[in-house]
Amino acid sequence: MSVKEKKVELIELFYDLIYVYAISRMTLLLEEPEGGILTWDMFATYIIASMIIIQAWLYMTNYVNRYCTWRWYEYVLVVLNMCAAISMSNTITASWEETGFVLELAMMIMIGCVAALYMIQVYVQKQDTTVAKHTLGILFLLLAIYAVAMVMTLLGYTHEALMVNIFNIVLGMMLPFIKKGEYDLKIVSFPHLVERLELLTIITFGEGIVGITVFFDLTVEAFTPILTFLVLIFMFGTYVCQVHYLCNHHQVTNPNKMTWSHYLIIIAVNLVTVAFLYFHSEEADHLFTAGLMIGSIAAFYIALFSTSWYYHPEFERTWKDIGVMMLFIAIGAVVIFAFMDSPYGFLVGSAIATGGNFFFLCHKYTSNRCINVIHTV
């Protein structure tokens, strides 16, 4: 079965720039610890904000991946979607009740743009429209719920409308994976989708780099900023090795596992950035910061390992991989918690957990590639 190839266009890269701003807004929700810790309300707000941003990005990305041929009306609706995305990003605050109406209006415009694009595909019928019809059912349901929330907001029921919005956001994330429609997988360009997910992840790592710049003070010793930077480099290197090299992009397959994994990967990278910011803050509780860091690292590698479903045939998914991954995380956790009052203990433990996994995956890739070269010769 031939793989659908699709080039990532420049307007898609421009579209992603909107989410540079959105992701930076998301991180701001957690930068100031309350009583030295991240409260459950702060964490819940962050998770909901993450869901909004990723699903808003994903709805348009999925359309572009499946159907887009960049006609004039597609440019117009994508630009309108981008305008709404900027407004949506500005609603990401700790007090959503004050920005509820703008959020609802922005989400209705964004989802409405994607729904209009799918409706056009159903009308022209130049490709298999099964997935378009299935997706329209989901989008119309979400639009109806946002319309109800908007009416409630206008009537003054802001708290109740907020609960409806949260329900709709969670529903919007879950429905595409729970309400599975039967469609021809050839309509999905898996190489294009993975490339787009990689770009969004790179944007998230970029926000992480911005976050750790507070450590790069030339008037103090260089050990702390170097170790901080190494942790992010190890995480990024592990991601590249796993998703870009070990995974086979050129296949006809269901992309849901790859998409789901990136929800958690993006959230985990942001939480690692927040853990670094808490580590730099004198107000943050050391025990909590240590737990946040090792929990975020563990979540990142668990999500990353789940993409091994898409490995090239020559790379095997084994229990050894999980065992080694957890071993390095456990060793890092022991160092972090044993020396959590020491800045070096915190950073060295984080570097062990991330660096160990980076070198292990690099070895997995290079050793298997060498074996295959020998067999070929």
Side-chain angles (χ1 to χ4, degrees):
M1 189 181 293
S2 61
V3 177
K4 180 181 178 181
E5 300 288 347
K6 194 180 187 74
K7 178 184 175 183
V8 175
E9 301 291 342
L10 293 179
I11 190 171
E12 294 178 75
L13 302 179
F14 188 72
Y15 182 79
D16 286 348
L17 292 178
I18 302 298
Y19 290 87
V20 174
Y21 175 63
I23 290 171
S24 69
R25 295 282 301 173
M26 189 169 68
T27 309
L28 287 173
L29 293 172
L30 306 179
E31 283 191 351
E32 296 296 330
E34 292 185 13
I37 65 171
L38 172 66
T39 66
W40 284 111
D41 284 347
M42 292 169 66
F43 186 72
T45 302
Y46 167 77
I47 294 297
I48 295 299
S50 302
M51 290 181 182
I52 293 175
I53 291 170
I54 299 172
Q55 73 176 258
W57 178 88
L58 195 58
Y59 278 132
M60 182 58 77
T61 298
N62 277 337
Y63 168 79
V64 172
N65 178 266
R66 296 162 177 170
Y67 290 108
C68 190
T69 55
W70 293 113
R71 302 297 180 91
W72 67 267
Y73 55 83
E74 290 171 322
Y75 282 108
V76 170
L77 288 168
V78 166
V79 170
L80 181 58
N81 182 283
M82 291 167 66
C83 293
I86 297 172
S87 297
M88 177 272 294
S89 301
N90 283 330
T91 67
I92 298 174
T93 65
S95 54
W96 271 352
E97 289 186 15
E98 299 174 5
T99 58
F101 181 80
V102 177
L103 170 65
E104 291 146 8
L105 180 60
M107 291 302 293
M108 288 189 70
I109 293 172
M110 294 175 71
I111 294 173
C113 288
V114 179
L117 289 167
Y118 277 117
M119 288 174 67
I120 293 171
Q121 292 301 322
V122 172
Y123 175 76
V124 299
Q125 293 187 343
K126 289 186 176 180
Q127 299 183 67
D128 175 35
T129 58
T130 304
V131 69
K133 294 174 182 176
H134 172 74
T135 306
L136 278 172
I138 295 173
L139 297 179
F140 285 149
L141 174 61
L142 299 178
L143 283 170
I145 296 174
Y146 276 121
V148 170
M150 184 178 288
V151 171
M152 293 173 68
T153 300
L154 291 173
L155 292 175
Y157 298 100
T158 53
H159 179 72
E160 291 79 2
L162 176 62
M163 294 299 104
V164 173
N165 286 330
I166 292 173
F167 169 78
N168 209 22
I169 291 162
V170 176
L171 186 67
M173 188 193 79
M174 301 295 294
L175 275 180
F177 304 102
I178 296 174
K179 190 177 181 293
K180 299 177 181 178
E182 296 295 329
Y183 61 91
D184 188 351
L185 288 175
K186 288 190 295 184
I187 200 170
V188 176
S189 175
F190 191 64
H192 174 270
L193 180 62
V194 175
E195 186 175 356
R196 300 287 283 115
L197 289 168
E198 287 176 341
L199 288 169
L200 187 64
T201 307
I202 289 170
I203 288 171
T204 309
F205 273 108
E207 178 61 25
I209 296 296
V210 172
I212 66 169
T213 53
V214 295
F215 292 94
F216 285 78
D217 184 352
L218 297 179
T219 62
V220 299
E221 48 82 26
F223 190 67
T224 298
I226 289 173
L227 273 179
T228 306
F229 189 60
L230 270 179
V231 171
L232 284 184
I233 288 294
F234 285 146
M235 290 178 68
F236 179 71
T238 312
Y239 174 84
V240 171
C241 188
Q242 172 78 1
V243 175
H244 194 73
Y245 289 110
L246 291 173
C247 290
N248 178 15
H249 299 186
H250 297 277
Q251 57 179 303
V252 178
T253 185
N254 189 315
N256 284 351
K257 290 185 178 66
M258 182 64 77
T259 304
W260 258 109
S261 68
H262 277 77
Y263 268 95
L264 188 53
I265 286 170
I266 290 166
I267 289 171
V269 172
N270 267 312
L271 287 176
V272 166
T273 305
V274 171
F276 276 130
L277 294 174
Y278 280 20
F279 168 70
H280 187 261
S281 171
E282 295 180 356
E283 299 178 7
D285 179 78
H286 289 182
L287 178 61
F288 177 82
T289 304
L292 178 62
M293 174 57 82
I294 204 65
S296 303
I297 289 173
F300 174 80
Y301 284 106
I302 290 169
L304 197 59
F305 182 78
S306 69
T307 65
S308 58
W309 177 268
Y310 301 99
Y311 272 177
H312 284 279
E314 62 266 30
F315 300 117
E316 191 177 357
R317 299 165 63 228
T318 67
W319 287 106
K320 176 186 175 183
D321 295 345
I322 301 176
V324 172
M325 176 186 73
M326 297 309 297
L327 176 63
F328 282 119
I329 293 173
I331 295 171
V334 169
V335 174
I336 287 175
F337 284 109
F339 304 99
M340 62 184 175
D341 291 328
S342 164
Y344 301 127
F346 179 86
L347 294 173
V348 169
S350 301
I352 290 172
T354 55
N357 277 293
F358 168 68
F359 288 112
F360 171 70
L361 273 187
C362 284
H363 174 72
K364 181 183 180 73
Y365 174 67
T366 55
S367 60
N368 277 277
R369 187 176 60 173
C370 291
I371 291 171
N372 286 326
V373 169
I374 292 170
H375 285 169
T376 303
V377 174

